[in-house]
Amino acid sequence: MAQGGVEKIGLPDSFLQVKLPNGEKVKIEKPMPEHTVGIQLILDSLVDPKIGCLKDLKEINAVGHRVVHGGEKFNQSVVITPEVKKQIIECSELAPLHNPANLKGIEAIEKTLPGVPQVAVFDTAFHQTMPDYAYMYALPYELYQKYAIRRYGFHGTSHRYVSARVCEFLGVDPSKQKIVTAHIGNGGSCAAVLNGKSVDTSMGLTPVEGLVMGTRAGDLDLGAATFIMDKEGLSTAEFNNLVNKKSGLLGVSGVSNDARDIDAAIKSGNKRAELVRNMFIYRVKKYIGAYAAAMNGVDIIVFTGGIGENDPFIRGEVVKGLSFLGAKLDEQANNVRGEERVISTKDSKVTVCVIPTDEELMIASDTQALV
Ligand code: ADP
């Protein structure tokens, strides 16, 4: 009935963008110093006589929230209770930028819509089925016991949605498939989904591990980390900023974190942009190969996320590098953006698909199911 999002909270040019059922986009600019103001603006827009889809906020029966970190406490979505809120706070140490903001959203709704049930959908939950040998780091075991240092993975809602949706789309039984999902956008991760369950994923304790991303470095030699900190005299916070905000497509190219800008730079002869795109493609390909090994085979590969859905070149290069698995690209079918489609040939041993992700739908359906 309505779709939209608030962006740039905390900056002077924050705004709410709403997509109306007729496809028209409306942008409402308003300074939003913090999340509560954003939530209020969303609710106001829902009952706005011009752009709203509700007559009264009383029509809302339930609210679903994306919560980034559920730690080891949550392996599925839950109805929010005071106890759940306490546990979300306890997971904040693992996601200091996200969980407190998620909680603000929950509390803002409690105030505005008292008594309306709320559901938390965790970005980490889908990956809680990973076996211990996949989620443990080979560090002293006490660090796991003391601080729960292990791999959690993120984008779980997206990996869950596309791995289930692709089976529906292809008409196959999800409990009998070996699927690799590649969610590649500004942030990116791959997951190995065996018979409907995540058994590995490329992000770790934090989202910085794994693929080359818009501004994140992905996999890095730990020795390089301490070396760089020593040489550049960086604090832990500064190093964190370096690998999360200044690396990846942006860091290597020096141009942009956006794949479209990288593409434009390559066309104008920028060698560093070309280098980082090659690194990007290579890393995705390596993870897909690794996950084929993790599951002892792969039946389906899914591309999703801004780049996975919209960039035929990157998809094409990845798939062409996987011919050893029997994957064969259908060049013509691959020439597609933002649409569900099989992009491998009929005789390909692996079915390769584009499935646009829909995390909001997943959150809404979990909420409906639980409430
Ligand atoms: P986020 O991780 O922030 O959700 P998205 O999934 O929206 O990010 O992905 C953003 C990325 O998708 C950017 O690098 C952007 O360049 C890329 N992208 C979006 N549309 C296109 C397109 N038409 N062609 C190529 N890349 C695209």
Side-chain angles (χ1 to χ4, degrees):
M1 292 165 75
Q3 188 181 41
V6 158
E7 288 181 42
K8 297 197 169 182
I9 290 177
L11 297 175
D13 54 344
S14 49
F15 63 89
L16 165 70
Q17 182 145 292
V18 182
K19 193 171 162 196
L20 301 180
N22 65 9
E24 189 193 332
K25 282 186 182 159
V26 182
K27 191 170 168 183
I28 303 166
E29 292 181 29
K30 182 178 169 170
M32 285 176 259
E34 46 101 20
H35 295 78
T36 320
V37 184
I39 295 267
Q40 193 55 52
L41 187 59
I42 292 171
L43 293 174
D44 291 346
S45 77
L46 287 174
V47 289
D48 183 282
K50 274 204 208 107
I51 60 163
C53 59
L54 303 177
K55 284 208 173 60
D56 195 305
L57 290 179
K58 289 202 181 82
E59 289 171 59
I60 298 175
N61 298 118
V63 177
H65 296 262
R66 171 186 188 232
V67 179
V68 166
H69 221 303
E72 287 187 326
K73 297 182 200 298
F74 298 104
N75 60 8
Q76 58 188 22
S77 306
V78 290
V79 173
I80 296 170
T81 61
E83 179 59 24
V84 167
K85 276 167 59 182
K86 219 174 95 206
Q87 291 176 322
I88 293 174
I89 297 170
E90 282 164 17
C91 295
S92 285
E93 204 176 35
L94 296 168
L97 293 180
H98 294 99
N99 276 29
N102 299 150
L103 202 67
K104 273 191 178 177
I106 292 165
E107 290 182 335
I109 294 287
E110 270 174 7
K111 269 200 203 120
T112 327
L113 304 172
V116 172
Q118 303 195 72
V119 167
V121 179
F122 299 92
D123 231 25
T124 49
F126 183 57
H127 303 303
Q128 279 294 302
T129 45
M130 279 194 279
D132 51 6
Y133 54 80
Y135 70 66
M136 285 301 288
Y137 291 116
L139 290 166
Y141 195 76
E142 300 77 56
L143 290 172
Y144 171 64
Q145 291 171 312
K146 262 168 53 189
Y147 309 114
I149 304 288
R150 49 159 283 181
R151 310 182 58 256
Y152 291 94
F154 298 88
H155 293 140
T157 313
S158 175
H159 290 297
R160 178 158 70 106
Y161 172 76
V162 297
S163 60
R165 176 64 203 148
V166 77
C167 293
E168 247 171 48
F169 178 64
L170 297 172
V172 296
D173 180 353
S175 70
K176 293 187 184 130
Q177 307 298 321
K178 297 171 175 175
I179 305 176
V180 178
T181 47
H183 174 113
I184 44 180
N186 191 32
S189 62
C190 286
V193 183
L194 178 62
N195 305 334
K197 294 199 162 92
S198 172
V199 291
D200 207 344
T201 190
S202 58
M203 284 177 165
L205 174 77
T206 78
V208 80
E209 191 180 342
L211 303 179
V212 175
M213 305 176 220
T215 59
R216 294 193 189 109
D219 294 338
L220 178 76
D221 176 8
L222 295 167
T226 47
F227 187 91
I228 295 163
M229 288 173 79
D230 274 350
K231 287 280 180 200
E232 297 271 305
L234 300 182
S235 66
T236 48
E238 286 164 338
F239 183 75
N240 215 4
N241 193 44
L242 178 87
V243 292
N244 272 290
K245 298 271 165 67
K246 295 185 179 164
S247 300
L249 296 180
L250 173 68
V252 179
S253 71
V255 174
S256 167
N257 65 312
D258 192 297
R260 286 164 291 199
D261 299 338
I262 297 293
D263 195 41
I266 294 170
K267 288 195 175 112
S268 63
N270 186 318
K271 289 289 168 210
R272 273 165 54 182
E274 191 172 359
L275 167 65
V276 79
R277 187 169 69 183
N278 289 338
M279 291 165 64
F280 186 100
I281 291 165
Y282 180 65
R283 190 82 58 89
V284 174
K285 191 179 81 146
K286 269 209 309 195
Y287 265 101
I288 296 176
Y291 288 167
M295 297 186 288
N296 198 9
V298 54
D299 303 310
I300 303 169
I301 296 169
V302 183
F303 286 97
T304 195
I307 297 171
E309 291 166 27
N310 295 301
D311 196 321
F313 179 81
I314 290 181
R315 281 195 308 252
E317 291 304 295
V318 171
V319 178
K320 282 186 229 159
L322 295 169
S323 58
F324 78 101
L325 291 173
K328 260 200 216 169
L329 182 74
D330 179 336
E331 298 267 4
Q332 213 179 345
N334 184 38
N335 195 10
V336 66
R337 291 181 201 278
E339 206 181 281
E340 292 185 339
R341 165 104 50 108
V342 175
I343 59 164
S344 50
T345 57
K346 284 219 166 65
D347 64 340
S348 177
K349 285 207 186 101
V350 184
T351 309
V352 187
C353 291
V354 175
I355 301 284
T357 196
D358 198 339
E359 291 163 287
E360 285 89 346
L361 178 66
M362 204 80 247
I363 294 170
S365 37
D366 276 10
T367 302
Q368 188 175 38
L370 281 167
V371 169

